[in-house]
Amino acid sequence: MKNNKAKIVRITTIVTIVIMFVCIIVLACQFVKIGNYKEQTSNLEAEKQALIEQIYNFNTSNSYYDNNRSEFLEEYAREHLTWGTSNEVWYTKD
């Protein structure tokens, strides 16, 4: 009887210690995951800010082109398509 109680106490102690070590290992892994998630969150926040800035720049340039559409198209046609108005005289380099 005494021997059985000693075995039960020993087995219970070993099982408890094993469970504690497993819990400590799981806890350490969770802390590593939390650190990775925080780093990923900061990277995503930086990317979000860059995208917000791109959207702002796009909206600003888009509103400029919408407000000055005829001027923009005329300038683009002259510079990139070498088109001009009917009264313009073109000078070329020989």
Side-chain angles (χ1 to χ4, degrees), residues 53-67:
E53 186 176 334
Q54 284 180 353
I55 290 170
Y56 174 76
N57 291 339
F58 175 76
N59 287 339
T60 303
S61 63
N62 194 24
S63 66
Y64 170 76
Y65 293 137
D66 282 344
N67 292 337

Side-chain angles (χ1 to χ4, degrees), residues 16-32:
T16 304
I17 291 172
V18 169
I19 289 174
M20 286 176 56
F21 281 129
V22 169
C23 288
I24 289 171
I25 291 171
V26 168
L27 184 64
C29 291
Q30 293 301 319
F31 280 135
V32 169

Side-chain angles (χ1 to χ4, degrees), residues 61-85 88 90:
S61 63
N62 194 24
S63 66
Y64 170 76
Y65 293 137
D66 282 344
N67 292 337
N68 303 317
R69 182 178 296 274
S70 61
E71 293 174 17
F72 171 73
L73 290 175
E74 184 178 336
E75 182 180 329
Y76 183 84
R78 286 183 185 191
E79 291 180 5
H80 297 285
L81 303 176
T82 62
W83 292 359
T85 61
E88 282 185 336
W90 289 85

